[in-house]
Amino acid sequence: MSLLELNGITAAYGPTQALFGVDLALEQGEVCALMGRNGMGKSSTIKVICRMLRHGEGAVRFDGRDIGGLPSFRAAQAGIGLVPEGRRCFAPLTVHENLIAAARPGAWDEARVTALFPRLGERRDQAAGSLSGGEQQMLAIGRALMTNPKLLLLDEATEGLAPVVRQEIWAAVAQLKRDSGLALLVVDKSLAELRRIADHAVILERGRSVWAGPMPALDAQVADTFLGV
């Protein structure tokens, strides 16, 4: 049984339908790249998994349980950690306060987070709003890890960052795959980086799953057809 399963998911924002049939499966310890051009339903799929957006048809199962009726805070308590697009740190709070605000018991504590991202340790007492964009992204990842999730969702975690900072984030994601045992669902536009860390990919086109398979099978023809790269 997969850790996460989405079967035939549809979802809408009021009268505007966003998802028309999304299928996805992810095992513990795997990394799945959720891909597609802009506006194809990736963030909406993330919101459905986190229960921030109700789905219509289909089923969402996590850790052997149907979570379709859960509110978002219960999904987080069940073990789903989100690194949202746009970072969304608590700007007036310090790095330390941001981390402990979300903390739950488990292997991930402040010491382990700052070992992954030493800059956070150096800026422990600094307000999050005064950090650079890259440092805020590290804080957003660290905050999600402090919830001690079974599944970590990264929604455009490298968007808008300088190349050197992007490489730091990708190195941390690779370390998480190698050492943590977490399942990772990663939304990002960098196909080259995703090839290095992802075990398999799901591609969305107009709110539907149109391709799924191991990363080595995502060849230039598939990328050109569905990703425009």
Side-chain angles (χ1 to χ4, degrees):
M1 180 181 296
S2 299
L3 177 68
L4 175 69
E5 294 181 77
L6 275 64
N7 300 113
I9 293 297
T10 67
Y13 299 92
T16 304
Q17 191 162 347
L19 302 180
F20 295 83
V22 173
D23 300 298
L24 186 152
L26 181 59
E27 304 289 343
Q28 188 68 49
E30 284 188 337
V31 178
C32 177
L34 182 60
M35 307 177 72
R37 298 183 181 96
N38 289 341
M40 294 301 170
K42 303 184 299 296
S43 290
S44 294
T45 300
I46 293 289
K47 289 177 181 178
V48 167
I49 295 168
C50 295
R51 308 315 304 152
M52 296 161 62
L53 175 64
R54 291 186 178 182
H55 68 282
E57 297 177 4
V60 184
R61 297 187 64 82
F62 177 71
D63 202 16
R65 173 186 181 190
D66 188 328
I67 63 169
L70 294 185
S72 58
F73 75 94
R74 292 292 186 197
Q77 290 174 348
I80 299 174
L82 172 64
V83 181
E85 185 177 10
R87 301 183 272 279
R88 302 183 193 176
C89 300
F90 301 118
L93 302 184
T94 66
V95 167
H96 167 69
E97 290 167 340
N98 268 270
L99 292 175
I100 64 171
R104 300 186 69 218
W108 283 98
D109 56 16
E110 189 172 357
R112 190 173 179 188
V113 167
T114 54
L116 181 66
F117 294 118
R119 290 199 209 183
L120 298 183
E122 296 167 4
R123 289 155 177 73
R124 183 178 188 272
D125 298 318
Q126 190 171 327
S130 68
L131 300 178
S132 70
E135 290 163 350
Q136 289 185 19
Q137 189 62 71
M138 294 172 191
L139 180 55
I141 296 171
R143 183 181 58 188
L145 290 170
M146 290 284 285
T147 69
N148 277 284
K150 299 174 183 176
L151 167 66
L152 186 64
L153 311 174
L154 296 107
D155 192 0
E156 301 284 6
T158 67
E159 185 176 24
L161 301 179
V164 64
V165 180
R166 286 204 301 269
Q167 290 308 310
E168 288 186 56
I169 299 295
W170 283 118
V173 173
Q175 185 175 337
L176 288 174
K177 177 184 179 179
R178 184 175 64 249
D179 299 337
S180 72
L182 281 170
L184 303 172
L185 182 62
V186 183
V187 175
D188 203 275
K189 297 181 179 67
S190 179
L191 180 56
E193 296 296 344
L194 290 171
R195 286 192 188 281
R196 294 188 181 101
I197 66 160
D199 299 295
H200 60 97
V202 173
I203 299 178
L204 302 185
E205 177 86 3
R206 298 181 182 179
R208 291 183 172 87
S209 298
V210 293
W211 189 92
M215 284 303 294
L218 204 169
D219 58 20
Q221 181 177 350
V222 173
D224 183 64
T225 299
F226 297 118
L227 304 175
V229 296

